């Protein structure tokens, strides 16, 4: 139990007059959190916690009974409750606590569970007792044979600090569970908890828009123009300065939640009016949107003096699609060496100045040859498992050892560490998102800055076309080798790219159908295709009809603008319901055509992950 403190602050003394020990204990026994009690009594969560500890109203830990009381359970599973006996016995070993990712949801899922589990393995190898805090029974990290001890607790400050007080670990790792545990770092640090890896100050520097913007200015690193606003007037002032289109989002969101591309003042006002809350603490973030830019994800491992670029992933889709929804390619292709060099230089500068110890992820956009920093995450990213498997480098293990105090300079020889573009990869790896559209057909199928994927698949092959075809198969998108292709592209995509795509499809024997505008553009360039009615046009059958009747085998439809038109949403829904593969960006269409051509020319082989990893032995 926590030792009661003798002196109370004035706020805690005032609260004690309104909230006696008996009432407080009853509230805790009935599941009221400190935050809820603080809200009821119009005080702070810290004040409630101070009073609780002073009165000795603290939780104890019970063991999960896996034997239904038939035998004496010896499991290392524990949960907190407000009773008398504490069944969790603290050992004398040096221990490390790892905070998991909590419940799986869009934007945060099994990728972070992978990181937590790999960290447990690395800590065990190093001789530490491992303690996992997570509340999701579907994860590997909560299996009985992973950590030495497991607490089924929510990832809140109140629950986490109680476990830390009881176990007294050497330190706590917050950077492997995604954004949820990362948000706890500042309060845990203020409470005297040792954060292993990047400090809470460094985390705040990367997370706080104004502080991070000032750092980029200091380091002379290009970034999209941006601003923060707490009202429509402020937001309009920013957009007048940086120009439309802009990318807007609330502060501290997960998976791009409520993120949107805005093209006009009217839409901006509508967005601000519908926002749940915008305050000084949680302002609206506004960035200039870099249309047609190519995006990159870079994963790196850093210590105070060194940095290894472990992965450089190029997105197939152009800017505007959430990184979690983008098809990622490793290694990159068709990009200038100067852009890669700039990204590596900026990554190293950022790691050093933020003080990254362990993993970090940086997102870049390259437009007209210039590299812009979009954001930095001083934690494990959802791409870490992909990078580790593609490169055969134990990224999380190395990062964990760095967080424990080892130097990258000493680990470079042991793991033959090099930057990703210097590894000499002899294969191509692709990360392909998996979407739930077949289950939620009315949700809309067009991708944007708000993450919508609920999983991902990975493929490996010697060349890009084969890897891309395999990735689509793994994501249950089976590309056709013959049949009819429907094409409808926006005005900006009516360019040489779609002409080449259509010609390749025609060369392979596909029949082409298109809506009026695209039909006119293609026939003007001597490409034979048939015109089909839009959903809103007079005449039948329209495109919705022929997709539903099974007369289309592949759909290329690239809407652009503030909202997808009714016709475009109908096309997407019909494709999903009919099981017709479809793409919504010109970049994905290019990649798909290459994959179809590859499928028609060769049989795909099968190799294990270990066989692909043998390139490291050469």
């Amino acid at each position: 139990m926590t030792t009661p403190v003798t002196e109370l602050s004035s706020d805690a003394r005032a609260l004690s007059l309104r909230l006696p020990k008996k009432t407080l204990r009853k509230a805790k026994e009935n599941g009221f959190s400190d935050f809820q009690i603080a809200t009821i009594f119009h005080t702070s969560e810290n004040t409630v916690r101070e009073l609780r500890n002073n009165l000795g109203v603290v939780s104890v830990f019970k063991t999960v009974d896996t034997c239904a009381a038939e035998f004496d359970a010896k499991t290392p599973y524990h949960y907190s409750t407000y009773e008398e006996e504490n069944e969790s016995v603290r050992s004398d070993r040096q221990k490390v606590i790892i905070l998991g990712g909590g419940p799986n949801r869009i934007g945060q899922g099994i990728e972070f569970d992978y990181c937590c589990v790999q960290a447990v393995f690395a800590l065990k190898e190093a001789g530490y007792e491992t303690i996992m805090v997570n509340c999701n029974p579907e994860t590997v990290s909560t299996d009985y044979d992973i950590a030495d001890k497991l607490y089924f607790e929510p990832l809140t400050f109140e629950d986490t600090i109680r476990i830390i007080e009881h176990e007294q670990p050497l330190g706590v790792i917050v950077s492997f569970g995604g954004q949820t545990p990362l948000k706890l770092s500042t309060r845990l640090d203020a409470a005297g908890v040792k954060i292993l890896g990047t400090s809470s100050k460094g985390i705040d520097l990367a997370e706080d828009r104004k502080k991070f913007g000032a750092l980029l200015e200091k380091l002379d690193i290009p970034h999209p123009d941006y601003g923060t606003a707490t009202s429509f007037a402020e937001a309009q002032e920013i957009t007048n300065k940086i120009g439309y289109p802009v990318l807007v989002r609330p502060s501290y969101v997960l998976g791009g939640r409520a993120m949107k591309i805005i093209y006009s003042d009217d839409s901006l006002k509508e967005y601000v009016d519908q926002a749940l809350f915008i305050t000084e603490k949680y302002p609206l973030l506004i960035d200039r949107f870099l249309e047609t830019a190519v995006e990159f994800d870079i994963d790196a491992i850093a210590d105070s003096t060194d940095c290894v670029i472990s992965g450089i992933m190029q997105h197939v889709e152009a800017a505007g699609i959430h990184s979690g929804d983008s098809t990622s390619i490793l290694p990159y292709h068709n990009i200038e060496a100067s852009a890669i060099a700039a990204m590596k230089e900026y990554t190293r500068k950022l790691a050093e100045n933020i003080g990254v110890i362990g993993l970090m992820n940086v997102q870049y956009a390259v437009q007209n040859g210039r590299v812009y920093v979009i954001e930095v995450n001083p934690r494990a990213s959802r791409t870490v498992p992909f990078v580790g498997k593609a490169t055969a480098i134990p990224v999380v293990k190395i990062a964990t050892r760095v967080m424990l105090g080892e130097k990258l300079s000493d680990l470079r020889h042991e793991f033959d560490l090099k930057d990703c573009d210097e590894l000499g990869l002899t294969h191509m790896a692709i990360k392909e998102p998996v979407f739930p559209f077949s289950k939620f057909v009315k949700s809309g199928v067009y991708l944007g800055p708000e993450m919508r994927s609920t999983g991902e698949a990975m493929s490996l092959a010697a060349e890009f076309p084969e890897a891309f075809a395999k990735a689509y198969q793994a994501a249950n998108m089976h590309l056709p080798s013959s049949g009819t292709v429907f094409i409808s592209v926006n005005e900006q995509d009516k360019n040489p790219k779609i002409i080449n795509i259509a010609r390749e499809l025609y060369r392979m024997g596909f029949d082409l159908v298109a809506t009026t505008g695209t039909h006119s553009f293609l026939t003007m360039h001597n490409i034979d295709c048939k015109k089909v009615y839009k959903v809103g046009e007079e005449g039948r059958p329209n495109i919705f009809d022929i997709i539903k009747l099974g007369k289309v085998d592949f759909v290329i439809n690239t809407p652009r603008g503030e909202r997808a038109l009714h016709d475009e949403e109908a096309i997407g829904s019909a494709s999903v319901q009919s099981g017709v593969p479809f793409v919504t960006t010109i970049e994905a269409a290019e990649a798909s055509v290459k994959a179809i051509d590859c499928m028609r020319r060769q049989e795909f082989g099968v190799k294990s992950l270990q066989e692909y990893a043998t390139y490291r032995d050469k």
Side-chain angles (χ1 to χ4, degrees), residues 350-363:
L350 289 165
E352 180 182 355
N353 284 271
I354 292 172
V356 174
I357 307 293
L359 291 175
M360 72 178 292
N361 170 265
V362 191
Q363 294 176 20

Side-chain angles (χ1 to χ4, degrees), residues 306-317:
D306 198 0
C307 178
V308 174
I309 311 295
S310 55
I312 304 175
M313 289 146 283
Q314 182 176 348
H315 295 183
V316 169
E317 294 81 4

Side-chain angles (χ1 to χ4, degrees), residues 410-521:
D410 298 327
L411 296 171
R412 279 182 177 273
H413 177 71
E414 180 180 345
F415 294 99
D416 188 24
L417 285 180
K418 301 172 186 174
D419 284 354
C420 184
D421 58 331
E422 300 170 2
L423 287 174
L425 282 169
T426 56
H427 56 270
M428 179 72 67
I430 293 181
K431 180 176 75 71
E432 179 68 24
V434 178
F435 299 97
F437 299 144
S438 61
K439 304 293 184 183
F440 304 100
V441 293
K442 294 184 179 180
S443 67
V445 298
Y446 293 101
L447 305 180
E450 185 171 348
M451 187 173 170
R452 309 184 68 192
S453 63
T454 52
E456 61 188 23
M458 175 181 175
S459 69
L460 297 166
E463 302 293 339
F464 171 75
E466 181 183 349
F468 194 84
K470 286 180 175 179
Y472 260 32
Q473 288 177 350
N476 205 30
M477 286 267 284
H478 299 287
L479 296 171
S481 57
S482 62
T484 300
V485 177
F486 166 72
I487 305 176
S488 179
V489 296
N490 62 70
E491 290 300 317
Q492 190 168 332
D493 286 337
K494 288 171 184 171
N495 57 37
K497 287 186 176 181
I498 193 61
I499 294 171
N500 292 335
I501 288 169
R503 282 179 176 157
E504 276 297 294
L505 289 167
Y506 189 77
R507 177 188 65 78
M508 288 186 281
F510 285 91
D511 295 322
L512 306 181
V513 296
T515 48
T516 304
T518 304
H519 173 267
S520 299
F521 180 77

Side-chain angles (χ1 to χ4, degrees), residues 181-199:
L182 203 70
K183 291 178 182 178
L184 296 176
S185 62
T186 301
R187 291 191 67 185
L188 291 175
D189 186 39
V193 177
K194 182 177 180 181
I195 304 296
L196 296 178
T198 306
S199 68

Side-chain angles (χ1 to χ4, degrees), residues 221-232:
I221 294 178
H223 57 85
D225 294 332
Y226 71 93
T228 60
T230 57
S231 66
F232 170 68

